[in-house]
């Protein structure tokens, strides 16, 4: 019998993608022996509604730059092409139909694990995947109380913490700081070239 395909999904807003995301992706790929780790940038992230995001085309282009050359990784624009809010459960169930033989791992950080019960149709989602959770500060992942009584498959990923977030990168970009240590040279150059995350230009004073 042939071995089941081991497929990991790493969803996110990636506004912008940074080296913490890359460390998580590499750790998941290597520790879970994944055949493929798919990055899935959200088109319309319902959880970030209310905040103005960089255009999806830019977020997708930056993820492609960050992932370029990484073995067994690929970028999937399915959520950007799909109309309406980006629900992970829709992506996972579509993948399930496409690859019924695959073992699906949904890769998340502890912050997302802690709020998984707020996700759209989360019980259905938990039936379809094994969660792969990176704990915080080298501590093992902590299930939130809401998930304690709910059967779900979870594996821990060991990750040396990388102290960076997209929020911190956007703030640094707005100050005109050098971003290379947080996002790598290619993404930093993209942000600069496309004038992303700059404070909006003040309107000229009326005479
Ligand atoms: P923001 O600061 O805008 O909230 P973010 O940096 O948390 O963004 P997301 O795109 O929301 O980035 O995160 C995608 C996934 O990456 C989530 O599962 C999140 O837990 C994980 N993640 C984000 N930053 C890190 C990091 N520094 N180390 C490990 N995982 C991370």
């Amino acid at each position: 019998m042939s071995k089941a395909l081991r497929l990991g999904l790493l969803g996110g807003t990636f506004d912008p993608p940074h080296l913490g995301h890359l460390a998580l992706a590499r750790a998941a790929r290597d520790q879970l022996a994944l055949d493929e780790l798919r990055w899935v940038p959200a088109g319309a992230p319902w959880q970030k509604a209310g905040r103005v995001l960089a255009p999806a085309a830019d977020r997708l282009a930056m993820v492609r730059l960050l992932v370029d050359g990484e073995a067994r990784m690929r970028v999937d624009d399915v959520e950007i092409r799909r109309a309406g809010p980006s629900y992970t459960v829709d992506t996972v169930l579509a993948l399930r139909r496409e690859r019924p033989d695959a073992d699906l791992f949904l890769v998340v950080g502890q912050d997302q694990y802690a709020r998984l019960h707020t996700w759209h149709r989360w019980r259905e989602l938990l039936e379809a995947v094994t969660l792969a959770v990176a704990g915080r500060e080298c501590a093992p992942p902590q299930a939130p109380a809401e998930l304690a009584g709910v059967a779900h498959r979870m594996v821990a990923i060991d990750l040396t913490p990388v102290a960076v977030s997209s929020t911190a990168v956007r703030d640094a970009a707005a100050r005109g700081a050098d971003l290379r240590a947080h996002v790598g040279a290619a993404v930093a150059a993209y942000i600069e070239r496309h004038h992303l995350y700059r404070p909006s230009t003040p309107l000229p004073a009326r005479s």
Side-chain angles (χ1 to χ4, degrees):
M1 214 174 74
S2 64
K3 204 163 78 49
L5 184 81
R6 293 169 72 80
L7 200 54
L9 287 184
L10 174 57
T13 311
F14 304 127
D15 189 26
H18 53 65
L19 298 183
H21 296 134
L22 187 58
L24 176 62
R26 285 175 173 160
R29 176 195 62 193
D30 298 343
Q31 290 171 32
L32 304 174
L34 298 177
D35 296 295
E36 183 178 295
L37 186 283
R38 278 193 200 184
W39 293 63
V40 188
W46 58 277
Q47 288 172 312
K48 309 239 166 153
R51 182 167 80 66
V52 178
L53 304 176
D58 286 322
R59 292 185 287 108
L60 179 64
M62 291 189 283
V63 173
R64 290 205 160 113
L65 288 171
L66 190 72
V67 172
D68 186 42
E70 288 288 328
R72 309 199 315 279
M73 286 193 199
R74 134 174 185 207
V75 183
D76 190 341
D77 64 357
V78 60
E79 291 192 358
I80 288 174
R81 285 186 279 110
R82 195 166 61 216
S86 297
Y87 293 128
T88 305
V89 68
D90 294 333
T91 307
V92 162
L93 295 183
L95 201 55
R96 245 293 137 260
R97 283 191 293 274
E98 188 192 312
R99 304 299 308 240
D101 54 323
D103 284 339
L104 296 184
F105 295 87
L106 182 65
V107 180
V108 293
Q110 170 68 43
D111 58 322
Q112 296 297 338
Y113 188 35
R115 49 202 308 270
L116 214 114
H117 57 282
T118 67
W119 290 21
H120 190 61
R121 288 159 51 204
W122 61 275
R123 288 173 189 270
E124 246 175 291
L125 178 63
L126 288 183
E127 281 169 19
V129 297
T130 298
L131 293 178
V133 185
R136 195 180 281 148
E137 309 293 332
C138 298
Q142 297 295 316
E146 290 82 354
L147 257 64
V150 182
H152 63 286
R153 294 175 298 277
M154 193 276 287
V155 290
I157 297 177
D158 250 348
L159 183 67
T160 307
V162 180
V164 59
S165 68
S166 298
T167 305
V169 175
R170 291 192 302 273
D171 290 349
R175 292 193 308 273
D178 186 341
L179 304 178
R180 284 173 299 179
H182 306 304
V183 299
V187 173
Y190 187 99
I191 291 172
E192 168 117 30
R193 196 163 60 249
H194 294 265
H195 309 286
L196 299 179
Y197 315 121
R198 296 277 172 79
S200 44
T201 319
L203 292 172
R206 290 188 180 196
S207 53

